[in-house]
């Protein structure tokens, strides 16, 4: 399992990020290349390379990530709506091999995503 990636370095505070939320299990920080007025990444501190690597042991963690996303969306003023995205592997558009949930909002988002 890959245990060295840029998001892990953000978790370990070895490289800086604009942190929006942190607790013992997860970290949320603003995306360096925002695709919407609000674009936050919510990640587990535990290394899970892709969505496809999730196991039964991650059930509670996944629920936690979603609840953090909902709380952050409210705090960041996304009362009119938002989108959560998890890109998985190459064809899914994943570029960083550490599971992350994109929280996007602050404008009308198009569908289909392309
Ligand atoms: P994905 O394509 O789903 O793997 O999304 C990776 C996102 O991570 C992409 O939107 C850009 C963002 N990103 C990559 N490197 C950094 C970084 O060093 N800092 C921050 N804040 N965001 C990063």
């Amino acid at each position: 399992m890959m245990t060295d990636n840029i998001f892990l370095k953000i978790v370990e505070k070895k490289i800086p990020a604009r942190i929006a939320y942190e607790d013992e299990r997860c970290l949320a920080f603003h995306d360096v290349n925002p695709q919407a007025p609000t674009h936050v990444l919510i990640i587990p501190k535990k290394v899970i390379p892709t969505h496809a690597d999730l196991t039964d042991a991650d059930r509670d963690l996944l629920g936690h990530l979603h609840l953090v996303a909902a709380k952050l969306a409210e705090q960041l003023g996304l009362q009119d709506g938002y989108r959560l995205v998890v890109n998985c592997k190459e064809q899914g558009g994943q570029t960083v091999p550490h599971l992350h949930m994109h929280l996007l909002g602050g404008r009308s988002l198009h569908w289909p995503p392309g």
Side-chain angles (χ1 to χ4, degrees):
M1 182 184 284
M2 166 117 49
T3 54
D4 186 32
N5 67 72
I6 195 144
F7 288 176
L8 204 56
K9 290 195 171 75
I10 290 174
V11 168
E12 293 166 349
K13 309 284 162 60
K14 288 180 180 158
I15 65 168
R18 262 182 72 210
I19 292 172
Y21 175 81
E22 180 168 15
D23 63 28
E24 67 284 354
R25 284 185 285 177
C26 74
L27 183 70
F29 53 94
H30 293 268
D31 196 294
V32 79
N33 183 23
Q35 301 301 314
T38 296
H39 187 171
V40 169
L41 301 171
I42 301 151
I43 72 171
K45 291 188 170 178
K46 171 186 175 185
V47 176
I48 301 171
T50 80
H51 190 269
D53 297 305
L54 286 163
T55 71
D56 275 349
D58 300 315
R59 275 175 198 277
D60 192 59
L61 176 62
L62 265 185
H64 182 64
L65 296 179
H66 274 276
L67 292 171
V68 166
K71 196 180 290 180
L72 266 175
E74 188 188 358
Q75 283 172 7
L76 295 170
L78 305 181
Q79 278 78 8
D80 291 339
Y82 55 88
R83 184 173 294 169
L84 297 174
V85 174
V86 178
N87 296 325
C88 183
K89 299 188 181 175
E90 197 176 330
Q91 285 207 343
Q94 182 178 5
T95 59
V96 179
H98 186 116
L99 179 69
H100 48 283
M101 187 185 283
H102 296 255
L103 168 63
L104 297 145
R107 66 171 171 85
S108 284
L109 297 162
H110 308 290
W111 194 264

